[in-house]
Amino acid sequence: MIDTEFFNQLNRFSLMVRKRVSSVYAGSRRAVLQGKGIEIVGYREYIPGDDVRTIDWRVYGRTEKLYIRKFEEEKNITTHILLDSSMSMDYSSNGMTKFDYAAMLACGFGYMVTRENEKFAISTFGENIDITPPKRGRGYLLHTIDRLNQTPLEGETKFDHCTQQYGKMIRSKSLVIVISDFLTDLDSIRAGLYRLAPNDLIVISIFDPAEHDLTIAGDVKLHDMETNTVRKTYISPKMKEEYRKLLDDHFEGVRSTCMHIGADYLSFGTNVPIFDAFFEAVRAK
Amino acid sequence: MAFANPLALLGFLSLIPIVILYLIKPKPRDIKIPSLMFILDAERKEHRYETMLRKIIRDPLMLMQLLFLILLTLAMAAPFYTANETVRADHTVIIIDASASMQAENPSRFDRAKDAAEKFVSGRTSIIMAKNIPVVVLQRGGRSGAKDTLNRLAPAATTASIGDAILLATNMIEDEKGAIVVISDFSNTDSDSIAAAKMLANADGIDVTYKQVGNDAENIGITYGKLERKGNSYEYICNIKNYMDDKKTVPIEIFRNGKKTLTDSVTVPAYSSELFALTDVKPGATEVSIKQKDSLEVDNRAYIAIPAVDKRKILVVSETKNPPAKIALNSLPDTECSIAKPPVLPSFDDYDLVVIGNITKTSLLPGTFEDLASFVQSGGSLVILASSDLGEIETEGLLPVQISEKAGAAAPETSMPTEFTKDIAFEDVSVITHLISEPADGAIVTVITDDDSPMLAYQKHGSGTVFYSGFGEGDSTWNDFHTRVDYPIFWRQIVDWMSGVHGIEEYNVRTGRMMSLGEVQKVTTPSGKVETDNLLFDEVGGYQVRDDDIAANLYDALESDLSIHPMSEEVRTLTPDLVKADVEKELWTYLIILVMFIAGFELYYLRARGEL
């Protein structure tokens, strides 16, 4: 269950995104980029290939030279939050599932964005993605929290497939936040991240401490949460060591991919207080 | 299969707690995990063998522990089974022919025999050197002891009594599974005695097998030698035999006290022999050496030892002016004889031997026999010859006989052969008069008459010896001994014996002879010094025993004959597997090895799992 108490603590923060806004309804940051928009920010000489509709004929009338109008681009940035809702996110060794923890982070970001009067969307993904259109407003945030509380956790994580589907949703450059345990094939993760790379990207990995340390030992019958594969085995110290190494290598692979595409990579255990994790994420941004 | 220690099978009870623990062991916990893919990868990477093992066996560790206990219990129960198979004997007695012919060839037959013997060494091994007398050089030794002993062995220059060695070996093998291996060149051995000894051993259930070593070899050697006194020196005659198939001219060198003094040669036809004589051989060490290249060295030299004898001073006391005894004594080499007529006599201490001849009861001054007793006690030698009044003379107990009366004819005979009775036919002496007597206490009688009267007797007194001769000093009214050719020989032998000089054959012996020394003494042999109380002359060359130099020679035509009569191929290529027997095959060692292997594997397994 998502705890919204910590939203009060988030009032101090504002999400640091690189944008400028010009409209009354838009966010407060000014964009440095120029493009299609309403407000004229300047003129420059026409170069063949420029859109003829942008030629300011009045100026031509005065100067007999072709000048085109330069507008400030619309800078209302949309935040897309992709939240992993596969079965593996249901794992908990200390009462809080990875999904609950991830959803709180997602809602935290939603809250921050709402405060800036910007649009956001939290879409859950597993084998398929449940796409939600970005909207703004507190009501929408509360509605989203309700929806997340009702979201069933099921299936495997098909990250590549889901990002491919979601990519169509992102029309302009946006802030994309992916929150997942990333317990799936590393190649699929890499492909998905590369697909989202053109956006401002924050990747947050959530893990349960017991999952990382593998606190179990001896004869066990293991059930995979996503695939329902059953394995009888003996967990020896040597095997634990090897398991941790493989796990570390996997997340190192995710981290290095993020570094390569210029995305921020953050990793939190569910034992880390949610506020600390959020503070860390905002500071990094 | 049976168990030597069946009580140990109670150890199987220790399995019960293990099985109970296994049965009450909780089932594996069901755990949901989101990261199974990594566990599967970890399994694949690090525990391939364990995973494989676990696919077959549910609990490998428990199985190992069960196996460990089962095998340990079985091992403690000492299981065995009985198999009838060819095995090496429990106790192998190796007989190595140490005869002179084994020194032939290069490498020698003896070295080859030692090499062969090493292969027959079993857990318990005894080794017998078959010389003319079998010598046990190792009794029930271990493997390393047997090999050390074999390394130390050297061949002898004697004959070999292999039959006796087999009999000795049979006695050494008691109630055990034993085998006898005879390693020899089987060259001129007494096959009858070997076969008889083998049958006796077989009757005791002991296998006797032969291993023949060596091949035919050529030889020329000295196969016989003899010394004869010629006046003050000796003549040496030897036989040089050629075993080769062509005529050979053999160069001969004579060494006198280590220096070459003469060279000569003898031509010997094929398979024939020639005599070689050496005259005027003086006291000291002489060596006759033949310089012919052949396969056997020990018969290429003959060693001659002639003792240097100091002049022995003899005093004859007699009423007769020139008795035959005195004449005989005068003729002896290395002696100086003088006669004294009683009653006035010179000091006895100036003489080595005093002979009391024909005397009457008034001849000697009172105290003369007391002086003689003192002379004998201090090491002097006294000979008392029979005379008419001897029975009435007080001899202070020196006389080895107690004379009762004078009697007539009698027939003497040798009752105990000794050095001084050798080669003398006392039976042929015609005795007309003799003294009836009885031996004194402690006297030794060597010649006796048909009425049991001692004719020759002797007795030790202190350091000296008193000798009695019933033949007198040479009176024809008593007997004709003094007229016989062996009369001077008799006196020479008496004088040599009493002065401690032995016959020349005592100084020139054939190898294989055993000499009893009475007590442990240091003896110098051709190869070094030994301390022994029984000396076996098993090397050719010069020996020094006390102050005497003794030469030992092979002088054996059969040992010098190196021809070999090849035995069957099986005998020549005999291998150590000898005995077919019911064998108890113990299994506990294999089980212990398995237990240790399982324990090691378990440790490895735990270590592989990172639990150690």
Side-chain angles (χ1 to χ4, degrees), chain B residues 252-264 287 289 291:
Chain B
I252 297 173
E253 290 177 348
I254 311 299
F255 295 86
R256 171 103 190 105
N257 290 331
K259 285 185 183 171
K260 187 158 75 175
T261 55
L262 186 68
T263 54
D264 203 339
E287 186 183 320
S289 174
K291 297 288 167 188

Side-chain angles (χ1 to χ4, degrees), chain B residues 445-523:
Chain B
V445 179
T446 60
V447 176
I448 199 164
T449 61
D450 53 354
D451 61 2
D452 292 337
S453 295
M455 291 298 280
L456 295 180
Y458 66 91
Q459 190 172 16
K460 294 286 280 182
H461 284 277
S463 304
T465 307
V466 179
F467 186 85
Y468 164 75
S469 169
F471 293 103
E473 64 175 15
D475 187 341
S476 298
T477 60
W478 281 59
N479 57 61
D480 65 349
F481 189 27
H482 57 283
T483 64
R484 301 183 65 83
V485 290
D486 43 12
Y487 189 65
I489 297 169
F490 166 72
W491 275 110
R492 179 170 60 79
Q493 290 179 169
I494 287 289
V495 171
D496 281 351
W497 177 73
M498 294 201 76
S499 56
V501 177
H502 307 292
I504 193 68
E505 61 279 4
E506 296 296 317
Y507 297 92
N508 293 273
V509 300
R510 285 180 61 184
T511 51
R513 179 171 165 179
M514 180 75 87
M515 178 187 271
S516 175
L517 304 179
E519 58 184 349
V520 175
Q521 293 187 18
K522 279 187 181 169
V523 176

Side-chain angles (χ1 to χ4, degrees), chain B residues 47 56 62-63 83 89 98 134 179 199 264 295 325 342 354 389 476 494 502 514 529:
Chain B
H47 300 287
I56 306 165
M62 184 215 165
L63 187 76
M199 283 171 67
D264 203 339
S295 294
V354 175
D389 290 350
S476 298
I494 287 289
H502 307 292
M514 180 75 87
K529 290 190 175 180

Side-chain angles (χ1 to χ4, degrees), chain B residues 108-414:
Chain B
S108 72
R109 294 173 183 178
F110 191 77
D111 286 341
R112 280 188 245 173
K114 287 203 293 184
D115 289 346
E118 265 202 38
K119 294 175 189 155
F120 290 92
V121 170
S122 63
R124 255 175 296 166
T125 304
S126 298
I127 301 173
I128 296 175
M129 289 271 276
K131 303 179 181 179
N132 60 319
I133 302 165
V135 178
V136 178
V137 289
L138 179 72
Q139 192 155 15
R140 292 171 183 277
R143 206 170 281 273
S144 60
K147 290 189 176 175
D148 288 348
T149 305
L150 283 171
N151 286 335
R152 284 201 312 272
L153 292 184
T158 62
T159 56
S161 178
I162 292 175
D164 289 348
I166 294 174
L167 290 177
L168 177 61
T170 308
N171 290 334
M172 285 169 68
I173 297 170
E174 293 161 1
D175 297 331
E176 57 196 334
K177 185 171 72 254
I180 299 171
V181 183
V182 183
I183 308 174
S184 167
D185 55 4
F186 293 101
S187 169
N188 299 301
T189 46
D190 183 358
S191 54
D192 289 344
S193 76
I194 295 175
K198 181 180 178 182
M199 283 171 67
L200 282 172
N202 288 346
D204 282 354
I206 301 166
D207 263 15
V208 180
T209 44
Y210 304 134
K211 168 86 179 169
Q212 189 176 33
V213 291
N215 299 298
D216 268 337
E218 295 184 322
N219 188 31
I220 290 180
I222 300 168
T223 57
Y224 172 77
K226 188 177 183 184
L227 277 165
E228 277 190 16
R229 178 176 274 281
K230 296 285 180 185
N232 284 333
S233 63
Y234 284 87
E235 182 184 53
Y236 173 71
I237 298 168
C238 67
N239 193 37
I240 297 169
K241 192 162 182 179
N242 178 7
Y243 293 92
M244 301 186 190
D245 50 12
D246 53 349
K247 185 170 74 177
K248 292 283 178 193
T249 299
V250 184
I252 297 173
E253 290 177 348
I254 311 299
F255 295 86
R256 171 103 190 105
N257 290 331
K259 285 185 183 171
K260 187 158 75 175
T261 55
L262 186 68
T263 54
D264 203 339
S265 67
V266 172
T267 301
V268 191
Y271 301 112
S272 186
S273 57
E274 285 293 327
L275 288 175
F276 173 76
L278 188 65
T279 55
D280 196 24
V281 184
K282 299 284 188 195
T286 305
E287 186 183 320
V288 178
S289 174
I290 58 175
K291 297 288 167 188
Q292 177 66 44
K293 194 169 179 184
D294 61 10
S295 294
L296 188 61
E297 277 291 312
V298 289
D299 62 356
N300 288 350
R301 284 190 178 84
Y303 298 88
I304 302 163
I306 296 173
V309 180
D310 294 334
K311 269 206 182 308
R312 292 155 295 184
K313 294 180 77 175
I314 302 169
L315 174 67
V316 179
V317 178
S318 175
E319 293 284 2
T320 314
K321 191 177 179 185
N322 208 11
K326 195 255 174 184
I327 296 165
L329 288 167
N330 247 344
S331 69
L332 300 183
D334 307 321
T335 55
E336 186 185 306
C337 186
S338 54
I339 189 160
K341 190 175 179 184
V344 180
L345 301 175
S347 169
F348 300 129
D349 294 337
D350 297 335
Y351 296 91
D352 299 304
L353 174 67
V354 175
V355 179
I356 305 293
N358 181 26
I359 53 168
T360 61
K361 54 186 174 186
T362 56
S363 294
L364 299 177
L365 294 172
T368 302
F369 266 99
E370 286 171 10
D371 293 343
L372 282 170
S374 164
F375 165 71
V376 172
Q377 284 289 337
S378 58
S381 299
L382 174 64
V383 176
I384 302 173
L385 303 175
S387 59
S388 300
D389 290 350
L390 186 59
E392 298 167 30
I393 296 170
E394 174 51 53
T395 60
E396 298 294 331
L398 289 175
L399 200 58
V401 294
Q402 290 172 340
I403 298 164
S404 51
E405 59 179 317
K406 192 174 172 184
E413 62 174 357
T414 305

Side-chain angles (χ1 to χ4, degrees), chain A residues 1-10 96 100-101 103-105 107-108 145 149 274:
Chain A
M1 183 65 76
I2 296 167
D3 176 15
T4 55
E5 283 299 311
F6 86 107
F7 288 173
N8 294 332
Q9 297 173 306
L10 299 184
M96 179 177 282
D100 288 345
Y101 193 88
M104 281 165 73
L105 275 180
C107 291
I145 291 169
N149 279 331
I274 192 74

Side-chain angles (χ1 to χ4, degrees), chain B residues 41-164:
Chain B
D41 282 350
E43 267 189 354
R44 270 195 292 275
K45 277 197 168 183
E46 283 303 311
H47 300 287
R48 277 172 292 181
Y49 301 115
E50 189 191 336
T51 310
M52 215 158 59
L53 202 62
R54 290 184 69 88
K55 274 182 188 169
I56 306 165
I57 310 155
R58 193 175 160 199
D59 192 337
L61 207 57
M62 184 215 165
L63 187 76
M64 279 183 239
Q65 286 161 354
L66 281 177
L67 269 175
F68 181 88
L69 283 175
I70 290 169
L71 293 173
L72 189 67
T73 305
L74 280 174
M76 284 166 66
F80 65 88
Y81 67 93
T82 309
N84 186 270
E85 58 182 42
T86 303
V87 292
R88 297 181 76 173
D90 273 356
H91 182 193
T92 305
V93 184
I94 302 172
I95 297 170
I96 301 179
D97 182 352
S99 65
S101 65
M102 293 292 282
Q103 296 189 32
E105 300 181 56
N106 189 20
S108 72
R109 294 173 183 178
F110 191 77
D111 286 341
R112 280 188 245 173
K114 287 203 293 184
D115 289 346
E118 265 202 38
K119 294 175 189 155
F120 290 92
V121 170
S122 63
R124 255 175 296 166
T125 304
S126 298
I127 301 173
I128 296 175
M129 289 271 276
K131 303 179 181 179
N132 60 319
I133 302 165
V135 178
V136 178
V137 289
L138 179 72
Q139 192 155 15
R140 292 171 183 277
R143 206 170 281 273
S144 60
K147 290 189 176 175
D148 288 348
T149 305
L150 283 171
N151 286 335
R152 284 201 312 272
L153 292 184
T158 62
T159 56
S161 178
I162 292 175
D164 289 348

